Amino acid sequence: MTYLLLGGVAVLVAWFVIEKARRRSHPVTGGLKSDITLPHDAPFELYGNAFSHCSRKTRLVVAELGIPYTHKPIDLIETGSYETISPHYLRINPAGIVPTLVHHGHPIYESDDIMAYATTQAADGAPSLVPDDPAARAEMDKWILRGTISSDEPMGHLETSAGSCIPGLTLPIFVTAIRYIALHRIAVGLLFHPDKRRPIFFAASKIRRLKVMLQTAPLRDIMHRSRDHMRSHLTDLQAQLAATGGPWILGAQFTLADISWSCIFLRLDETGWLDHFFSGGEFARLSDYYVALRARPSWHDAITEKSHPLIDGASHDLKQAIAQDERIRELLYA
Ligand SMILES: N[C@@H](CCC(=O)N[C@@H](CS)C(=O)NCC(=O)O)C(=O)O
């Protein structure tokens, strides 16, 4: 009996060690890796996730530029499983993050680099998403950077980056999304994800209600700081639109900066924050801007058609909880 037990433990330990090695990730630098050639079936393959902010940016850019591509959906735990740290995806992107664009087998990493690369591959007749004037281009880059989520420190630069505010503001929808995910799938993250804070948060969200989660001090702190900094980023964006006269960030030309910010607005929208920010009426210009972004055909191709039922359900649940429960509104907005 003892031998049987010891044998069982040895098998489990061996499985864990082997699996851990197969799922080991390491950071990658951005840009085109022409020295790597991956198996591929189409000239352009875009690996990404329906809910991921960075993946959405890249889908919007290829849609705007009329680049035909094969979409390769990769799950995050919010949409079902930790596929980003599966051995098959780590062969595509050893950092274990989405998105990755693969062009003729060569991967391009980091969403901002993918956006820039895509502009060099635009279909004939596609509009230019990058201004010719160097000063305007520098201005565009500034607004793109402000919408970026850093790979090293996703919540690290709240003051200077609206993108950094996104993970903190996403926490409430994580809680409502994770209810749909089986615990054994979250356990994969506890065992193998390089950043254990996230699976711990997801496991806690699985067993505790939204109201309880929102009362957790560190969570509330990062969420409120993200909210307050996001408000000042929105104030600056509104001033920029007023200064250029719109309809886009740089004025008449729709650019990569607008694509970055589309995804910020979408995340604020699906998590209920946009209703909160817009409710005072002070962001009327931004409200029009968001309507204009959603009206572009690229939005339909990249966002509406690629939406995920689980995220739609989680967004609905969250908004309903916010509408029905005054305590939740207090915890989020006070
Ligand atoms: N700086 C990277 C950030 C990419 C990133 O953080 N991706 C997230 C989804 S938005 C991810 O794949 N996370 C993996 C995980 O949650 O396990 C980029 O812009 O591409």
Side-chain angles (χ1 to χ4, degrees), residues 138-333:
E139 185 69 9
M140 176 189 81
D141 287 342
K142 198 183 87 188
W143 285 98
I144 293 176
L145 193 63
R146 211 161 164 176
T148 298
I149 298 183
S150 143
S151 296
D152 320 321
E153 270 190 291
M155 298 194 261
H157 315 277
L158 304 180
E159 252 180 84
T160 49
S161 156
S164 295
C165 301
I166 286 297
L169 296 174
T170 305
L171 291 170
I173 199 172
F174 281 151
V175 180
T176 56
I178 219 66
R179 284 210 203 108
Y180 296 102
I181 311 297
L183 202 54
H184 72 272
R185 294 193 181 266
I186 301 169
V188 171
L190 291 170
L191 289 174
F192 303 116
H193 199 282
D195 181 356
K196 296 284 181 269
R197 286 169 305 176
R198 287 169 58 98
I200 289 171
F201 166 76
F202 289 133
S205 304
K206 184 79 190 158
I207 46 183
R208 309 189 88 180
R209 287 176 309 131
L210 177 63
K211 215 181 314 192
V212 179
M213 288 303 287
L214 293 180
Q215 288 175 57
T216 317
L219 190 149
R220 240 188 35 235
D221 173 61
I222 185 68
M223 202 175 61
H224 285 177
R225 285 193 295 124
S226 303
R227 176 198 66 192
D228 297 343
H229 285 297
M230 180 58 85
R231 182 174 285 282
S232 56
H233 293 302
L234 293 178
T235 304
D236 291 351
L237 179 65
Q238 174 145 282
Q240 168 79 8
L241 287 167
T244 63
W248 311 117
I249 294 180
L250 294 191
Q253 187 180 6
F254 180 87
T255 70
L256 296 179
D258 298 294
I259 291 183
S260 272
W261 280 80
S262 297
C263 301
I264 295 209
F265 278 91
L266 173 55
R267 177 55 49 86
L268 296 179
D269 188 1
E270 66 201 346
T271 49
W273 290 107
L274 206 61
D275 290 340
H276 168 67
F277 287 126
F278 285 0
S279 62
E282 82 213 71
F283 290 125
R285 200 182 266 272
L286 293 186
S287 174
D288 294 346
Y289 175 60
Y290 185 44
V291 169
L293 291 169
R294 292 180 69 105
R296 295 184 73 84
S298 61
W299 187 281
H300 181 262
D301 296 348
I303 307 296
T304 314
E305 281 212 321
K306 306 276 186 313
S307 71
H308 197 290
L310 201 151
I311 296 301
D312 294 345
S315 171
H316 172 266
D317 295 350
L318 175 60
K319 287 183 177 182
Q320 201 168 44
I322 294 171
Q324 289 173 356
D325 194 323
E326 198 184 331
R327 179 70 184 133
I328 289 185
R329 288 198 296 280
E330 239 174 61
L331 288 166
L332 290 169
Y333 306 142

Side-chain angles (χ1 to χ4, degrees), residues 86 129-130 182 230 240:
S86 63
L129 300 178
V130 177
M230 180 58 85
Q240 168 79 8

Side-chain angles (χ1 to χ4, degrees), residues 52-54 57 76 78 82 84 96-99 110-112 148-151 193 198:
S52 138
H53 169 80
C54 308
K57 279 159 53 180
L76 296 168
E78 305 89 283
Y82 277 104
T84 43
I97 52 178
V98 282
E110 288 287 329
S111 58
D112 291 347
T148 298
I149 298 183
S150 143
S151 296
H193 199 282
R198 287 169 58 98

